[in-house]
Amino acid sequence: MSRVTRFHKDPDIRVPENSRIKIFLLYTLLFCVFTAGIFAVLIMSHRSVMQFHDAYRQGAYRLIELRNQLNSILSGDGFSFWSWYEGPGLDEPLENFVDPCSIIGALFPVRYLELGFTVAAILRMYLGGLAFLVLGRETGLKDRQMLIGAVLYAFSACFI
């Protein structure tokens, strides 16, 4: 018998722990398959994720700005609220530090900025699907509904 880890609002409905692991592994496998398919199409058509996300005008500059801010902080120069890309304003530089996926993307060398942007986008998609799995578990969705919903949610931008 599997170990029961939590009760939902209805005490008669029990969620076994191995069901969580199974759904997580299935979601991860489906995510990898869809990601490989999408990126195979992009590679064969000589395109990148940056070309589809308005990144040449916004995303790349934000990653460069975040990288510059991280370099300034780590070198001891402090934090500047001036952005050459956005103008004077507090919102742009600080919002980059809130998103851990952007920080991971900014850690890539400048010549691999496109790869960093792609990795950040994939991480956001994956974490979005995981968040849907958590939401589905908390609202009492069935395993199949959670899995389908998580994959559709993660890849909704690609499907559109």
Side-chain angles (χ1 to χ4, degrees):
M1 210 184 253
S2 66
R3 193 172 79 192
V4 176
T5 58
R6 60 182 288 142
F7 293 96
H8 285 282
K9 294 174 178 90
D10 185 3
D12 295 331
I13 299 174
R14 296 173 184 226
V15 180
E17 184 176 309
N18 64 355
S19 173
R20 288 181 180 181
I21 294 170
K22 183 176 85 171
I23 291 299
F24 170 75
L25 291 175
L26 279 173
Y27 167 69
T28 302
L29 177 69
L30 284 173
F31 185 85
C32 290
V33 168
F34 276 103
T35 302
I38 288 169
F39 284 98
V41 170
L42 289 175
I43 290 170
M44 286 190 282
S45 64
H46 303 289
R47 298 201 180 257
S48 70
V49 175
M50 286 184 95
Q51 292 170 331
F52 293 115
H53 285 293
D54 196 23
Y56 284 128
R57 287 179 270 159
Q58 293 176 0
Y61 297 123
R62 287 181 183 257
L63 277 183
I64 291 170
E65 182 66 26
L66 178 60
R67 185 173 177 75
N68 291 340
Q69 292 288 350
L70 288 173
N71 285 336
S72 295
I73 291 170
L74 295 176
S75 68
D77 293 336
F79 186 80
S80 170
F81 293 113
W82 175 262
S83 170
W84 288 102
Y85 306 111
E86 298 288 330
L90 183 60
D91 57 341
E92 193 275 328
L94 290 179
E95 105 183 3
N96 286 333
F97 286 103
V98 175
D99 182 13
C101 298
S102 290
I103 293 174
I104 291 170
L107 294 176
F108 281 78
V110 175
R111 66 177 183 234
Y112 297 116
L113 182 69
E114 200 163 337
L115 179 62
F117 185 84
T118 301
V119 167
I122 290 172
L123 280 173
R124 277 189 205 101
M125 291 165 52
Y126 183 74
L127 292 175
L130 282 181
F132 190 92
L133 287 178
V134 171
L135 175 70
R137 180 69 66 198
E138 291 300 316
T139 58
L141 291 178
K142 296 178 183 171
D143 288 350
R144 180 177 290 181
Q145 292 170 330
M146 285 190 314
L147 188 62
I148 291 170
V151 170
L152 289 176
Y153 184 75
F155 291 99
S156 61
C158 296
F159 292 142
I160 290 172

